[in-house]
Amino acid sequence: MQLTAEQVQQNWLDFIGFIDDHISEPRKTALKAFYEKYEDRIILMPAAHKKEYHNAFPGGYVEHVNRVMTCALHLHKLWGDMGANLDTFTKEELIFSALNHDLGKMGSEEEESYVPQTDNWRREKLGEDYMFNTKVPFASVPDRGLYLLQAHGIQYSFNEMIAIQTHDGLYDKANEKYLMAYMPEQKPRTSLPFIIHQADLMAARIEFEREWLPKFQGNLDTKKKGFTLESNKKQPSKNSSQTKALGSLKNAGLKNLLDNL
Protein backbone atom coordinates (compact mmCIF):
# COMPACT_ATOMS: atom_id res chain seq x y z
CA MET A 1 0.00 0.00 0.00
CA GLN A 2 1.32 3.42 -0.90
CA LEU A 3 -0.36 6.76 -0.32
CA THR A 4 0.15 9.71 -2.63
CA ALA A 5 1.45 12.99 -1.24
CA GLU A 6 -2.03 14.44 -1.75
CA GLN A 7 -3.62 11.62 0.23
CA VAL A 8 -1.12 12.02 3.07
CA GLN A 9 -1.84 15.75 3.25
CA GLN A 10 -5.62 15.29 3.10
CA ASN A 11 -5.49 12.65 5.82
CA TRP A 12 -3.63 15.11 8.03
CA LEU A 13 -6.20 17.82 7.39
CA ASP A 14 -8.98 15.36 8.25
CA PHE A 15 -7.07 14.36 11.40
CA ILE A 16 -6.87 17.97 12.61
CA GLY A 17 -10.48 18.45 11.54
CA PHE A 18 -11.64 15.82 14.04
CA ILE A 19 -10.01 17.90 16.79
CA ASP A 20 -11.65 21.10 15.53
CA ASP A 21 -15.07 19.47 15.28
CA HIS A 22 -15.20 17.39 18.45
CA ILE A 23 -12.77 18.69 21.09
CA SER A 24 -13.62 21.69 23.23
CA GLU A 25 -11.32 24.35 24.66
CA PRO A 26 -8.87 24.45 26.28
CA ARG A 27 -7.94 20.94 25.15
CA LYS A 28 -8.53 21.77 21.49
CA THR A 29 -5.74 24.33 21.47
CA ALA A 30 -3.43 22.11 23.53
CA LEU A 31 -3.99 19.07 21.30
CA LYS A 32 -3.48 21.02 18.08
CA ALA A 33 -0.30 22.58 19.46
CA PHE A 34 1.01 19.13 20.40
CA TYR A 35 0.23 17.49 17.07
CA GLU A 36 1.46 20.44 15.03
CA LYS A 37 4.73 20.37 17.00
CA TYR A 38 5.31 16.77 15.90
CA GLU A 39 3.54 17.04 12.54
CA ASP A 40 6.60 16.23 10.41
CA ARG A 41 7.02 12.94 12.27
CA ILE A 42 3.42 11.88 12.80
CA ILE A 43 2.18 12.66 9.28
CA LEU A 44 4.50 10.00 7.81
CA MET A 45 4.43 7.46 10.66
CA PRO A 46 3.46 3.86 9.88
CA ALA A 47 0.86 2.22 12.10
CA ALA A 48 3.06 -0.88 12.51
CA HIS A 49 6.55 -2.12 11.69
CA LYS A 50 5.79 -5.08 9.41
CA LYS A 51 3.50 -5.79 6.50
CA GLU A 52 1.60 -8.56 8.27
CA TYR A 53 0.25 -5.90 10.62
CA HIS A 54 -2.01 -3.06 9.57
CA ASN A 55 -0.94 0.07 7.67
CA ALA A 56 2.81 -0.51 7.83
CA PHE A 57 3.61 2.22 5.32
CA PRO A 58 4.36 5.97 5.37
CA GLY A 59 1.23 7.84 6.44
CA GLY A 60 -0.40 4.65 7.71
CA TYR A 61 -0.72 5.86 11.30
CA VAL A 62 -2.84 8.93 10.55
CA GLU A 63 -4.99 7.02 8.07
CA HIS A 64 -5.60 4.33 10.70
CA VAL A 65 -6.49 6.80 13.45
CA ASN A 66 -8.90 8.63 11.12
CA ARG A 67 -10.58 5.33 10.35
CA VAL A 68 -10.84 4.44 14.05
CA MET A 69 -12.49 7.79 14.80
CA THR A 70 -14.94 7.32 11.92
CA CYS A 71 -15.73 3.77 13.05
CA ALA A 72 -16.19 5.00 16.63
CA LEU A 73 -18.81 7.53 15.53
CA HIS A 74 -20.74 4.87 13.60
CA LEU A 75 -20.51 2.41 16.50
CA HIS A 76 -21.65 5.10 18.94
CA LYS A 77 -24.86 5.43 16.93
CA LEU A 78 -25.25 1.65 16.63
CA TRP A 79 -24.83 1.09 20.36
CA GLY A 80 -27.39 3.81 21.02
CA ASP A 81 -29.84 2.35 18.51
CA MET A 82 -29.49 -1.03 20.20
CA GLY A 83 -30.32 0.41 23.61
CA ALA A 84 -26.95 1.08 25.23
CA ASN A 85 -26.75 3.87 27.80
CA LEU A 86 -24.77 6.63 26.11
CA ASP A 87 -25.18 9.06 29.00
CA THR A 88 -22.16 7.61 30.82
CA PHE A 89 -19.65 9.28 28.48
CA THR A 90 -19.54 12.19 26.05
CA LYS A 91 -18.96 12.38 22.30
CA GLU A 92 -15.80 14.36 23.07
CA GLU A 93 -14.51 11.51 25.25
CA LEU A 94 -15.25 9.12 22.39
CA ILE A 95 -13.21 11.09 19.84
CA PHE A 96 -10.43 12.00 22.30
CA SER A 97 -9.95 8.31 23.13
CA ALA A 98 -9.97 7.23 19.49
CA LEU A 99 -7.67 10.09 18.48
CA ASN A 100 -5.03 9.18 21.06
CA HIS A 101 -5.46 5.41 21.42
CA ASP A 102 -2.20 4.64 19.58
CA LEU A 103 -0.30 7.82 20.39
CA GLY A 104 2.35 5.78 22.21
CA LYS A 105 3.54 4.53 18.81
CA MET A 106 5.01 7.97 18.28
CA GLY A 107 7.96 7.16 20.54
CA SER A 108 9.53 9.71 22.87
CA GLU A 109 9.69 13.46 22.40
CA GLU A 110 13.22 13.04 21.00
CA GLU A 111 13.08 9.70 19.18
CA GLU A 112 10.51 7.98 16.95
CA SER A 113 9.52 4.37 17.65
CA TYR A 114 9.70 3.05 14.10
CA VAL A 115 12.77 3.64 11.93
CA PRO A 116 13.56 2.19 8.47
CA GLN A 117 14.76 -1.41 8.58
CA THR A 118 18.51 -1.67 7.91
CA ASP A 119 18.59 -5.47 7.63
CA ASN A 120 17.80 -6.34 4.02
CA TRP A 121 17.12 -9.98 4.92
CA ARG A 122 14.43 -9.04 7.45
CA ARG A 123 12.98 -6.53 4.99
CA GLU A 124 12.82 -8.97 2.07
CA LYS A 125 12.07 -12.24 3.86
CA LEU A 126 9.97 -11.14 6.85
CA GLY A 127 8.28 -8.07 5.40
CA GLU A 128 9.70 -5.79 8.09
CA ASP A 129 10.02 -2.41 6.40
CA TYR A 130 10.59 -0.81 9.82
CA MET A 131 12.30 -1.80 13.05
CA PHE A 132 11.96 -0.63 16.63
CA ASN A 133 14.22 2.21 17.67
CA THR A 134 16.33 0.91 20.58
CA LYS A 135 16.98 4.47 21.74
CA VAL A 136 13.39 4.64 22.97
CA PRO A 137 12.93 3.15 26.47
CA PHE A 138 10.31 0.42 26.55
CA ALA A 139 6.74 1.25 27.52
CA SER A 140 3.44 -0.18 26.35
CA VAL A 141 1.68 1.86 23.67
CA PRO A 142 -1.17 2.98 25.99
CA ASP A 143 1.21 3.87 28.83
CA ARG A 144 3.48 5.92 26.58
CA GLY A 145 0.53 7.68 24.98
CA LEU A 146 -0.94 8.68 28.33
CA TYR A 147 2.49 9.86 29.48
CA LEU A 148 2.93 12.04 26.38
CA LEU A 149 -0.46 13.66 26.91
CA GLN A 150 0.17 14.56 30.54
CA ALA A 151 3.75 15.66 29.78
CA HIS A 152 2.32 18.28 27.43
CA GLY A 153 -0.34 19.49 29.82
CA ILE A 154 -3.24 17.75 28.07
CA GLN A 155 -5.69 16.53 30.67
CA TYR A 156 -7.87 13.48 30.17
CA SER A 157 -10.86 12.10 32.03
CA PHE A 158 -11.06 8.82 33.90
CA ASN A 159 -13.24 7.44 31.09
CA GLU A 160 -10.64 8.41 28.49
CA MET A 161 -7.81 6.92 30.51
CA ILE A 162 -9.53 3.53 30.77
CA ALA A 163 -10.59 3.56 27.09
CA ILE A 164 -7.05 4.31 25.89
CA GLN A 165 -5.55 1.83 28.35
CA THR A 166 -7.81 -1.02 27.21
CA HIS A 167 -8.20 -0.26 23.49
CA ASP A 168 -6.56 -3.59 22.55
CA GLY A 169 -9.23 -5.45 24.50
CA LEU A 170 -8.36 -8.94 25.69
CA TYR A 171 -5.62 -9.23 23.06
CA ASP A 172 -3.53 -7.59 25.80
CA LYS A 173 -3.47 -9.62 29.02
CA ALA A 174 -2.86 -6.44 31.00
CA ASN A 175 -6.50 -5.53 30.32
CA GLU A 176 -7.94 -8.59 32.03
CA LYS A 177 -8.19 -6.72 35.32
CA TYR A 178 -10.60 -4.28 33.66
CA LEU A 179 -12.42 -6.51 31.18
CA MET A 180 -12.64 -9.90 32.90
CA ALA A 181 -14.09 -8.80 36.23
CA TYR A 182 -17.04 -10.89 37.41
CA MET A 183 -18.38 -8.67 40.18
CA PRO A 184 -20.76 -5.96 38.90
CA GLU A 185 -19.01 -3.22 40.87
CA GLN A 186 -15.70 -4.08 39.15
CA LYS A 187 -17.00 -3.92 35.60
CA PRO A 188 -16.54 -0.73 33.52
CA ARG A 189 -19.21 1.85 34.34
CA THR A 190 -19.40 2.93 30.69
CA SER A 191 -19.47 1.26 27.26
CA LEU A 192 -16.74 3.59 25.97
CA PRO A 193 -13.86 1.07 26.30
CA PHE A 194 -15.81 -1.53 24.33
CA ILE A 195 -16.73 0.92 21.57
CA ILE A 196 -13.12 2.09 21.21
CA HIS A 197 -11.85 -1.49 21.10
CA GLN A 198 -14.43 -2.44 18.49
CA ALA A 199 -13.60 0.65 16.41
CA ASP A 200 -9.89 -0.19 16.49
CA LEU A 201 -10.58 -3.84 15.68
CA MET A 202 -12.87 -2.88 12.80
CA ALA A 203 -10.37 -0.43 11.34
CA ALA A 204 -7.48 -2.88 11.58
CA ARG A 205 -9.56 -5.65 9.99
CA ILE A 206 -10.56 -3.40 7.08
CA GLU A 207 -6.93 -2.45 6.57
CA PHE A 208 -5.92 -6.12 6.66
CA GLU A 209 -8.53 -7.05 4.07
CA ARG A 210 -7.47 -4.22 1.78
CA GLU A 211 -3.81 -5.30 1.96
CA TRP A 212 -4.05 -9.10 2.04
CA LEU A 213 -7.27 -10.42 0.51
CA PRO A 214 -6.18 -9.53 -3.04
CA LYS A 215 -2.92 -11.39 -2.38
CA PHE A 216 -4.78 -14.46 -1.12
CA GLN A 217 -6.84 -14.41 -4.30
CA GLY A 218 -3.77 -13.96 -6.45
CA ASN A 219 -0.10 -13.63 -5.70
CA LEU A 220 0.65 -14.23 -2.01
CA ASP A 221 4.18 -12.92 -2.21
CA THR A 222 4.54 -9.84 -4.40
CA LYS A 223 8.30 -10.32 -4.49
CA LYS A 224 8.02 -13.88 -5.84
CA LYS A 225 6.05 -13.99 -9.07
CA GLY A 226 4.11 -17.09 -9.97
CA PHE A 227 3.30 -18.29 -6.44
CA THR A 228 -0.46 -18.50 -5.85
CA LEU A 229 -2.68 -20.65 -3.72
CA GLU A 230 -3.83 -22.51 -6.82
CA SER A 231 -0.37 -23.05 -8.24
CA ASN A 232 0.77 -24.31 -4.85
CA LYS A 233 -1.99 -26.91 -4.86
CA LYS A 234 -1.66 -28.05 -8.46
CA GLN A 235 2.10 -27.90 -8.94
CA PRO A 236 3.82 -29.67 -6.02
CA SER A 237 7.55 -29.19 -5.69
CA LYS A 238 10.09 -31.98 -5.86
CA ASN A 239 10.17 -32.12 -2.06
CA SER A 240 6.69 -33.21 -0.93
CA SER A 241 7.35 -32.36 2.75
CA GLN A 242 8.38 -28.84 1.76
CA THR A 243 5.21 -28.50 -0.33
CA LYS A 244 3.09 -29.55 2.64
CA ALA A 245 4.87 -27.10 4.93
CA LEU A 246 4.42 -24.27 2.45
CA GLY A 247 0.72 -24.96 2.24
CA SER A 248 0.30 -24.76 6.03
CA LEU A 249 2.33 -21.59 6.62
CA LYS A 250 0.35 -18.42 7.19
CA ASN A 251 3.26 -15.97 7.34
CA ALA A 252 4.21 -14.84 3.84
CA GLY A 253 7.75 -14.00 4.93
CA LEU A 254 8.33 -17.47 6.41
CA LYS A 255 6.66 -19.04 3.37
CA ASN A 256 9.11 -17.20 1.12
CA LEU A 257 12.03 -18.23 3.32
CA LEU A 258 11.11 -21.94 3.28
CA ASP A 259 10.38 -21.86 -0.43
CA ASN A 260 13.92 -20.66 -1.09
CA LEU A 261 15.67 -23.27 1.07
Side-chain angles (χ1 to χ4, degrees), residues 141-158:
V141 169
D143 288 346
R144 190 184 304 283
L146 292 169
Y147 167 77
L148 287 168
L149 290 170
Q150 63 85 26
H152 289 81
I154 301 170
Q155 295 186 341
Y156 44 83
S157 68
F158 181 83

Side-chain angles (χ1 to χ4, degrees), residues 3 19 26 40 45 78 178 186 208 226 232:
L3 300 178
I19 299 176
D40 289 346
M45 271 173 51
L78 176 61
Y178 292 110
Q186 293 180 318
F208 166 82
N232 185 46

